[in-house]
Amino acid sequence: MPAACESVLEDIEDIVSAEDLKPHDRQFVRRNIFPKVRKRNSQKNIQTDDEPPSDSIIPGVQKIWIRTWGCSHNNSDGEYMAGQLAAYGYTITDNSAEADLWLLNSCTVKNPAEDHFRNSIKKAQEGKKKVVLAGCVPQAQPRQEYLKGLSIIGVQQIDRVVEVVEETIKGHSVRLLGQKKDNGKRLGGARLDLPKIRKNPLIEIISINTGCLNACTYCKTKHARGDLASYPIEELVDRAKQSFQEGVCEIWLTSEDTGAYGRDIGTDLPTLLWKLVEVIPEGAMLRLGMTNPPYILEHLEEMAKILNHPRVYAFLHIPVQSASDSVLMDMKREYCVADFKQVVDFLKEKVPGITIATDIICGFPGETDEDFQETMKLVELYRFPSLFINQFYPRPGTPAAKMPQVPAAVKKQRTKDLSQLFHSYSPYDHKVGERQRVLVTEESFDSNYYVAHNPFYEQVLVPKDPLLMGKMVEVNIYEAGKHFMKGQPVSDARIHTASISRPLAKGEVSGLTEEFRRSVQNGTNWKAQPSVEIPVKTRLSSWMALQLPWQQEGGGVKILSVSLALLAVLVMFYYGGMKTEL
């Protein structure tokens, strides 16, 4: 009998292709799954849990609500996770009450963001929702008490979100927190060509690298995102090309520090930007994300040339955090105030009209009144049109949390004083009467206007004319506020359309094949069709560790062959047992 079983198993292995999961891979997946033990009534031998058994649940038909906090990098991760889940068959809903599962994508920068995250977990549990946690909070501190027993997907594992959601819906707890590596070298993260659902179909957020080279004493994000790991230039350019083909007219480059891009792979930020500029169509724009002063200093000449390019916003976000060198030293920021001023002064001279945005932390441990006054003088000097003011919050596990703290009342007062200074000047009043070229990309929060940006990434509100959305138009500025201007389109101006392709509909999945689109339009069930490929530009066998057999090429034949082989084994066991009894 064992010999017969062995021969059948050998036939089964002949059927399995090289792309299927190997035994080692299956074992690895099992180590990350923690089955939920069912409680049974010992007397009646019936299940007391109200939920159906996990093997009776059909994954891919549930509704999922996704909430993201934090930076544009986090938002990009949320878009990728939504796209993969939708491509698999799940319904992404804006209604949290009707959702079967909540996917909470967290931010660890400040205490209030984590408080909102914690409260959402509690609310989900009270509503008996399944929960999957993502983002920087669980990645940095997965052993926190309020995270116990909950499924977690790490910031570098978002390409396995379907796997985690599927097991969570079955009642299991899954934790995938590992780093992606290639021959021992850390990678930037999940592939860039995965399906995604853009929050705004006109804007593509591209993470050019993850992590950073710094070790700021107040930063918790470093614990989650780790050291610098950059994506290759060709992958980033390919992603940009695909985005424009899908009707995108604005690209945001994001990371924890865009200025450090490429230092781990032998290239640099200007080299990437020049390659991207080559593929940006007329009528589309590129916005560069945050960069710290030390790394941009090395490329000032080239960066000035790039920021003067007509298809690149003359905008740069350079956090100074404090204008006191002693505070910067305690923060381990690796630059002094003179370095920051050199960057700002040079760019203002070489890129006329450039917008410089910056961040300031009020009440960092050890900050004196004299230190804070230096910061006030810096803001008064440059009158930043965009200023992010943050009251210091000690983040657990960071060196700054162990330093002597500034009294809460003092931190609050300094934050108030700086905010009053910021609101004391109007950066756009002198622009009333100007004629500006703007790109219209979104709707205002109050739904009364469309939001556009001029070449300096300054916000311009325009009338809600559907013909303007996604277009580059010329407007006359007739009013200015603290954070915006208002413009009226010029009647005789030319309108530029960024791409020959129509934008995807809101909620539509990016990166899907035409074959999949046709199957959806025809109302067919793509998951039951062996001939339909997984709906992305390349195969997703590496994306989905628990990919169903019929979703792989030749899967229909393969699963039929395996089923017949297993049936043969059962028949042999059955008749073998009958012969023994006779």
Side-chain angles (χ1 to χ4, degrees):
M1 194 64 206
C5 290
E6 288 172 4
S7 64
V8 173
L9 288 174
E10 286 173 1
D11 291 339
I12 293 175
E13 293 205 357
D14 289 340
I15 296 168
V16 177
S17 72
E19 296 179 355
D20 285 307
L21 289 176
K22 305 298 186 295
H24 174 269
D25 298 326
R26 294 191 186 97
Q27 188 61 33
F28 174 78
V29 172
R30 292 191 190 101
R31 287 202 301 268
N32 291 284
I33 299 175
F34 307 95
K36 180 178 178 181
V37 178
R38 297 184 199 153
K39 297 179 180 179
R40 296 182 179 274
N41 188 308
S42 58
Q43 294 180 349
K44 298 183 181 180
N45 195 32
I46 60 173
Q47 186 174 334
T48 58
D49 196 342
D50 292 335
E51 298 181 359
S54 62
D55 55 5
S56 68
I57 296 175
I58 302 175
V61 298
Q62 290 78 14
K63 293 182 178 180
I64 298 176
W65 180 66
I66 301 176
R67 173 70 191 276
T68 295
W69 292 266
C71 64
S72 54
H73 193 164
N74 234 30
N75 277 277
S76 176
D77 288 351
E79 291 179 350
Y80 273 121
M81 289 189 284
Q84 292 170 82
L85 290 166
Y88 190 77
Y90 291 101
T91 299
I92 308 301
T93 178
D94 292 329
N95 187 341
S96 60
E98 72 175 15
D100 302 290
L101 181 142
W102 287 14
L103 175 53
L104 305 176
N105 190 18
S106 61
C107 172
T108 191
V109 172
K110 293 187 289 188
N111 288 8
E114 184 171 351
D115 291 341
H116 286 304
F117 174 62
R118 185 187 295 108
N119 291 337
S120 294
I121 294 174
K122 183 178 179 182
K123 186 176 180 180
Q125 292 171 327
E126 290 173 348
K128 298 187 182 302
K129 307 290 186 182
K130 300 289 186 180
V131 183
V132 171
L133 309 179
C136 292
V137 172
Q139 178 73 55
Q141 287 186 296
R143 294 182 178 85
Q144 292 189 82
E145 184 66 29
Y146 73 93
L147 304 180
K148 283 187 176 179
L150 299 177
S151 290
I152 296 175
I153 183 163
V155 295
Q156 283 212 322
Q157 299 292 330
I158 61 171
D159 54 343
R160 299 177 68 182
V161 65
V162 172
E163 179 182 338
V164 175
V165 166
E166 185 172 321
E167 292 300 326
T168 302
I169 286 174
K170 292 178 180 178
H172 303 153
S173 176
V174 187
R175 295 196 166 198
L176 300 179
L177 295 165
Q179 304 291 328
K180 291 195 179 299
K181 296 182 179 180
D182 182 18
N183 293 324
K185 181 178 177 58
R186 186 168 177 265
L187 300 177
R191 295 206 327 261
L192 295 174
D193 60 351
L194 296 172
K196 74 186 303 186
I197 296 178
R198 298 184 183 96
K199 185 176 181 181
N200 184 337
L202 297 175
I203 298 176
E204 167 71 4
I205 306 172
I206 303 179
S207 302
I208 63 175
N209 57 268
T210 189
C212 68
L213 294 172
N214 300 328
C216 300
T217 56
Y218 57 83
C219 183
K220 189 72 176 175
T221 305
K222 176 78 173 187
H223 297 190
R225 298 285 182 178
D227 294 326
L228 178 69
S230 305
Y231 285 98
I233 288 179
E234 57 271 17
E235 292 184 18
L236 296 166
V237 172
D238 285 345
R239 183 67 200 182
K241 288 179 179 178
Q242 178 188 340
S243 302
F244 293 129
Q245 290 168 2
E246 294 173 338
V248 163
C249 61
E250 188 170 286
I251 285 184
W252 297 358
L253 299 185
T254 183
S255 77
E256 284 64 56
D257 187 352
T258 60
Y261 170 81
R263 293 170 70 97
D264 58 319
I265 58 174
T267 187
D268 54 42
L269 181 61
T271 302
L272 168 65
L273 294 177
W274 283 125
K275 290 292 185 182
L276 286 171
V277 163
E278 293 176 2
V279 303
I280 301 175
E282 184 181 6
M285 296 294 290
L286 172 71
R287 192 196 80 173
L288 184 59
M290 186 272 288
T291 175
N292 284 312
Y295 307 112
I296 204 68
L297 267 170
E298 302 176 12
H299 310 297
L300 282 180
E301 290 282 354
E302 283 300 299
M303 289 303 301
K305 294 176 184 177
I306 292 167
L307 292 170
N308 272 309
H309 194 282
R311 291 193 285 277
V312 178
Y313 285 116
F315 167 88
L316 205 56
H317 180 193
I318 315 171
V320 65
Q321 304 300 5
S322 173
S324 165
D325 285 342
S326 63
V327 173
L328 292 175
M329 185 176 296
D330 290 340
M331 291 178 173
K332 288 192 175 181
R333 289 291 287 169
E334 300 184 5
Y335 60 87
C336 60
V337 178
D339 294 331
F340 175 81
K341 289 182 176 180
Q342 180 184 349
V343 172
V344 175
D345 292 342
F346 183 89
L347 293 177
K348 280 182 169 290
E349 178 187 353
K350 300 295 184 180
V351 189
I354 187 174
T355 297
I356 301 292
T358 195
D359 299 0
I360 288 175
I361 296 175
C362 296
F364 185 82
E367 182 186 63
T368 64
D369 288 337
E370 292 76 16
D371 294 328
F372 178 68
Q373 288 306 313
E374 290 299 318
T375 300
M376 294 282 283
K377 291 176 184 177
L378 184 77
V379 174
E380 182 65 49
L381 174 64
Y382 289 109
R383 292 180 167 246
F384 303 102
S386 181
L387 178 62
F388 302 95
I389 302 170
N390 302 292
Q391 180 176 318
F392 174 76
Y393 290 96
R395 301 297 290 130
T398 62
K402 301 175 183 177
M403 298 177 181
Q405 302 294 306
V406 172
V410 175
K411 290 192 291 186
K412 186 175 182 179
Q413 185 61 47
R414 289 176 183 171
T415 303
K416 181 179 179 181
D417 291 346
L418 186 57
S419 297
Q420 287 178 343
L421 172 59
F422 173 60
H423 285 92
S424 69
Y425 57 86
S426 300
Y428 305 130
D429 284 353
H430 66 286
K431 298 198 174 189
V432 173
E434 289 185 359
R435 181 164 171 163
Q436 296 183 355
R437 175 173 55 88
V438 300
L439 178 59
V440 185
T441 55
E442 53 192 314
E443 188 177 75
S444 62
F445 286 115
D446 61 9
S447 299
N448 293 328
Y449 299 91
Y450 280 162
V451 178
H453 292 90
N454 63 18
F456 311 107
Y457 203 69
E458 296 165 336
Q459 184 170 273
V460 179
L461 303 180
V462 299
K464 284 185 66 175
D465 180 355
L467 295 177
L468 299 179
M469 184 58 72
K471 307 295 192 303
M472 187 171 284
V473 299
E474 289 188 355
V475 299
N476 287 322
I477 302 300
Y478 64 89
E479 184 181 334
K482 175 62 181 175
H483 301 286
F484 63 89
M485 291 169 275
K486 290 183 180 179
Q488 184 65 36
V490 179
S491 59
D492 61 345
R494 179 186 172 191
I495 297 178
H496 295 281
T497 302
S499 175
I500 59 173
S501 302
R502 70 164 184 83
L504 300 180
K506 189 172 180 62
E508 189 174 354
V509 182
S510 160
L512 302 182
T513 62
E514 285 301 319
E515 188 174 3
F516 173 73
R517 295 183 197 280
R518 287 195 298 270
S519 70
V520 172
Q521 291 171 357
N522 294 333
T524 55
N525 184 353
W526 70 278
K527 288 196 291 183
Q529 306 256 343
S531 61
V532 178
E533 296 177 356
I534 292 297
V536 289
K537 196 164 55 176
T538 56
R539 292 173 56 92
L540 294 184
S541 56
S542 61
W543 158 52
M544 196 182 302
L546 296 183
Q547 186 177 340
L548 297 178
W550 53 83
Q551 291 177 315
Q552 301 179 8
E553 187 176 349
V557 176
K558 186 181 301 181
I559 195 168
L560 178 61
S561 302
V562 172
S563 300
L564 290 174
L566 293 175
L567 179 61
V569 173
L570 292 174
V571 171
M572 293 176 67
F573 269 112
Y574 177 76
Y575 284 106
M578 288 183 64
K579 289 179 181 178
T580 303
E581 292 176 3
L582 292 174

